[in-house]
Amino acid sequence: MTVLDRLQDFRPEIQIMGAAAVFLELANLLGIPAQEAFTATKNLINGDDGKRAEFRAITAYLNGELA
């Protein structure tokens, strides 16, 4: 949440590039292919009945702080 909070000080195109850069560097550091991490995360976000509660909370935060 701290990274997301700090991103709000930048333009949208910088926000997404900053988040992507952190993701790509972390995936590289851990030796995890970025595309596999995206796929696994998409599966984690979506439960049997839609988006899981903790991820709905992230969406609400983003809408309230960054949108």
Side-chain angles (χ1 to χ4, degrees), residues 4-5 8 15 56-67:
L4 294 176
D5 186 54
Q8 69 182 326
Q15 291 173 357
R56 287 194 307 267
I58 293 171
T59 299
Y61 177 85
L62 291 172
N63 285 328
E65 295 295 325
L66 297 181

Side-chain angles (χ1 to χ4, degrees), residues 38-49:
F38 271 125
T39 300
T41 303
K42 283 178 128 181
N43 291 337
L44 179 67
I45 290 171
N46 297 307
D48 293 334
D49 57 347

